[in-house]
Amino acid sequence: MLNGLNEINWADLLHAYGPAEDTPDLLRAMASADEDEADEALDGFVGSVFHQGTVYPATVPAVPFLAELASTAPHQRASILATVGMLADRHHAYGDEEEEVREAVRAQADRFPALLDDPDPEIRTYAAYTVAQCGDRLPAALLRDRWAIETDVAVRASMALALGLRDAAASADLLAGALLGGEPPVRVAAAVALLRAGLPWPTGAVTALADVVGDEAELDYVWQRHGEALDEVTLEAGDDVVADLCARLLDAGPDARRAALYAMGVRIRARRSAPGLLLPLLDRVLDDPDERVRHNAVGLLRLAGAGAGPYADQLARIAAGYPEVAGSVSITAPRRAVETLAMLADPRWIEPVCAAWTAGEDVRLPVAEPPFDPALLAVARKRLAAGGPTLLVAGLATLLGRWGPAAAAATPELTAVLAVAPVQVTAALAAIGVLPPVAVPEARAAASAGDIPSGLALWRSTGESEPLVAAVGAHLDQGRNANDRQLVLLVEEAPEALGALAPRLRPYLTGVALPTYPERHLQMVAARIVHAATGDVAAILPTVRAVLAGGDLPARAAAELAALLGEPGLEPVLRDLLSDQWARVSAVRALWRLGVPADELAPVLIRAIEDEYGSRDALPLLLEMGARNALPALRDLAERDRRVITAGIEDDTVWDDERFQRDLRAAVATLTD
């Protein structure tokens, strides 16, 4: 067993944790008669050679031994076989070596057909999966022949998916019959198999599927692509099918109703047309007798973006119960309603939160960045003018501070309650940018403790740089992140005011990138301040070049500085960053200012926008560059059904995408004029 294992120089190959010297011992231990030892070895093997889906150079030569163990190991053969199949599955295996690993699995294809007849049904389940991953190395007839005699439900479900992957057209009738009359797991598998193959469902399929949705009818993990089966169907099927299926499920039992609401959220987060298609179905469940269903329904509105607007009255009614549950550690329906109203900029969210503060509940604002609206400001000012306990004043001050200069009209109300919550009120005034004399002592104290907005407000109001220098110095003394957004914005706005820090920061200009990212960010803060204080480009340029070469987030800060320096010698290293997810937009800005044509650089910015996070910085840069050649791509991004922004905080991605869509449309209009 495992012949040739010692002939491979594993120390020269890498896995997740470095040289793969431990891999042969793990493979031998997987063959152990001791079950505990074998289990531990399999965990160690997967964790290092197939770490969270990533494959490595060491994975390639390990595949033949793993395939052998799938047939011969005394324990865990099913898990080993499933791992072999996943290594060949592009939905599970990623990395520079993924094609080599996939080919290594297919080279072992002859080992797997016999496992379709294994007495253990779990082995047969993963044998069907692994045979399918081998593609045309094995004939699809192997699967059809086994289907004809297989009786185990889980195996038949796996085989339905395998047939859909390997030979869907020839298996269409078989899969249609399984969808309409198979056992629940087989029905679900057949529905997904047909959907993935782009083949139509038979008449009656929606009813047949709705009847069996539940935990007992889910896809095995190895076959999952978009979460649970219902989530994938709701995401990928046509509008009519999805609306019909969700409506049927919302009329079924509580478990089916909750599953439908979750699946509706999956589609809403992915497609811009989904709120209009699916939210009208909510009328039947917002007052559902099952508390968990009601909670899920309000949760769906929380993530649905502007589509939640027509339900604002129902949300306000539910939000009225927030004070009674504000202290709960659970995420309740009233809390979700308050959050949704806040995202809609509906003023009715403020009173329930104020009631909670008045009752002594130390709760945060319902969302991190509450949208501003003049009507909201009026309500907040009126509530603040009425006075109240410290928690209420502090909470409202925090809200006004989040709105920044837009809340300037509230300065009199804030000044009047400064003594009630001095820290929060001073912070709000500093964020607004108006610092009355009565607030100066508290602002000085906050700045000396490292509060940058207070130091900046003092500098703006009085011209004094000492509190600002003290704030940055304390910030750094406390070991806080040099990539802190407040610090970054400050250094961009007022580096000359920080000149007193130049002697302290010069030692960071080493000419080489320091080992950690926080240290590299600090190097760029140092470079900005030293350059602003002295104008000495030569002192900072080697360090800027070194951090650029290191890539990632620190390189973004370095590229922003390079855009100001305008040094032609940085062009090669800036071009190297055009494929760097985190630094490419800033690199484009620097290259454009060096004279590289906008037509050459615009495609890089379009790729940045198309990233799942939807780079916001790329769009204004395209406008600054006047990149009309980007118009076709921008029109598509603005008007397509598939959302641009799909990553981030799950509840916020739809709202983010809607804002970005408005920005995209405005950009198209500007570039068209």
Side-chain angles (χ1 to χ4, degrees), residues 310 350 636 669:
I350 291 181
D636 174 68

Side-chain angles (χ1 to χ4, degrees), residues 236-249:
E236 300 292 350
D239 286 356
D240 291 344
V241 167
V242 171
D244 186 11
L245 177 61
C246 290
R248 291 174 185 274
L249 292 174

Side-chain angles (χ1 to χ4, degrees), residues 125-503:
T125 295
Y126 295 125
Y129 169 67
T130 305
V131 165
Q133 301 307 320
C134 289
D136 58 9
R137 298 293 180 88
L138 295 171
L142 287 169
L143 296 166
R144 282 195 295 273
D145 291 347
R146 183 66 212 185
W147 172 273
I149 60 173
E150 182 60 62
T151 58
D152 185 89
V153 172
V155 182
R156 287 175 64 79
S158 185
M159 286 192 164
L161 288 155
L163 285 165
L165 178 63
R166 280 289 291 112
D167 197 9
S171 305
D173 290 343
L174 177 155
L175 293 171
L179 196 169
L180 294 175
E183 303 89 339
V186 180
R187 286 194 204 183
V188 170
V192 172
L194 289 167
L195 183 66
R196 289 178 180 176
L199 297 173
W201 282 0
T203 302
V206 173
T207 302
L209 185 60
D211 287 345
V212 298
V213 165
D215 292 340
E216 75 283 358
E218 282 303 340
L219 303 184
D220 190 285
Y221 173 74
V222 298
W223 282 110
Q224 291 183 14
R225 293 185 183 176
H226 300 288
E228 304 290 0
L230 180 60
D231 303 339
E232 181 173 347
V233 169
T234 308
L235 177 64
E236 300 292 350
D239 286 356
D240 291 344
V241 167
V242 171
D244 186 11
L245 177 61
C246 290
R248 291 174 185 274
L249 292 174
L250 290 176
D251 286 336
D255 290 344
R257 298 200 296 276
R258 292 200 309 275
L261 289 165
Y262 183 86
M264 290 160 67
V266 172
R267 189 175 180 100
I268 287 171
R269 287 193 297 271
R271 300 193 179 206
R272 289 166 171 166
S273 62
L277 175 71
L278 297 176
L279 291 184
L281 300 175
L282 283 186
D283 289 333
R284 67 190 77 190
V285 289
L286 278 172
D287 293 313
D288 196 275
D290 188 292
E291 181 182 0
R292 294 173 299 173
V293 174
R294 294 196 305 274
H295 176 274
N296 285 14
V298 178
L300 183 63
L301 290 173
R302 168 63 179 88
L303 61 81
Y311 295 90
D313 289 345
Q314 292 99 313
L315 289 167
R317 174 175 52 79
I318 297 168
Y322 178 69
E324 286 73 40
V325 298
S328 172
V329 296
S330 302
I331 300 176
T332 62
R335 172 177 161 181
R336 302 296 258 167
V338 167
E339 292 173 1
T340 310
L341 291 171
M343 294 299 290
L344 289 168
D346 186 309
R348 287 176 288 184
W349 74 262
I350 291 181
E351 187 53 42
V353 176
C354 287
W357 284 328
T358 301
E361 297 291 352
D362 188 8
V363 294
R364 297 180 179 180
L365 292 173
V367 294
E369 300 293 337
F372 173 80
D373 184 270
L376 279 169
L377 178 60
V379 172
R381 291 179 66 189
K382 182 178 180 180
R383 199 67 173 79
L384 194 60
T390 299
L391 283 177
L392 173 67
V393 171
L396 288 169
T398 301
L399 171 63
L400 294 167
R402 297 287 169 84
W403 289 334
T411 300
E413 289 85 1
L414 285 166
T415 304
V417 295
L418 179 63
V420 179
V423 173
Q424 293 84 357
V425 172
T426 300
L429 291 166
I432 290 169
V434 179
L435 204 59
V438 69
V440 167
E442 185 66 36
R444 289 188 192 282
S448 66
D451 185 68
I452 290 172
S454 293
L456 184 58
L458 283 165
W459 178 70
R460 288 171 175 165
S461 300
T462 68
E464 300 176 57
S465 61
E466 291 82 359
L468 191 55
V469 170
V472 175
H475 183 97
L476 299 176
D477 288 341
Q478 294 161 12
R480 291 156 69 182
N481 190 356
N483 192 39
D484 178 271
R485 179 169 174 77
Q486 293 175 340
L487 178 58
V488 170
L489 293 176
L490 167 62
V491 172
E492 290 178 356
E493 176 183 349
E496 69 282 356
L498 302 173
L501 290 169

